[in-house]
């Protein structure tokens, strides 16, 4: 382990990660709403729907990682 005390402003880092997490959660919510819309699924091309599903998976992964990172910074 490398001691980071004095090198990293943990409060600023927590605020940055929290802001990123809030943004990612909002984006994920919007994509999930779009994917839950039957009209969108019926009218959109298959590749567009696949692209949105891939985006949702990426955002879910990002939310998970940011949540874990925020937990590590809180310790």
């Amino acid at each position: 382990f490398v001691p980071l005390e004095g090198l990293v402003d943990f409060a600023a880092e927590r605020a940055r990660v929290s802001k990123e997490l809030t943004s990612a959660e909002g984006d994920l919510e919007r994509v999930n709403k779009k994917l839950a819309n039957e009209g969108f699924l019926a009218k959109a091309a298959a590749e567009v729907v696949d692209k949105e599903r891939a985006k949702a998976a990426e955002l879910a992964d990002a939310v998970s990682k940011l949540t874990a990172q925020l937990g590590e910074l809180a310790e």
Side-chain angles (χ1 to χ4, degrees):
F1 290 99
V2 177
L4 297 176
E5 193 170 336
L7 299 175
V8 176
D9 183 356
F10 287 102
E13 189 65 13
R14 278 190 297 274
R16 183 190 66 78
V17 171
S18 181
K19 184 177 176 182
E20 279 186 50
L21 178 60
T22 301
S23 175
E25 287 173 335
D27 292 344
L28 180 60
E29 184 178 335
R30 280 189 292 282
V31 171
N32 283 334
K33 282 183 183 179
K34 188 184 285 187
L35 290 172
N37 183 343
E38 291 297 324
F40 170 75
L41 295 176
K43 294 178 184 177
E47 58 269 2
V48 173
V49 174
D50 290 342
K51 186 176 178 182
E52 290 299 314
R53 286 186 177 136
K55 184 190 287 187
E58 289 175 16
L59 287 168
D61 186 48
V63 166
S64 175
K65 288 179 181 178
L66 289 168
T67 301
Q69 189 176 5
L70 194 58
E72 289 175 7
L73 288 170
E75 295 175 356

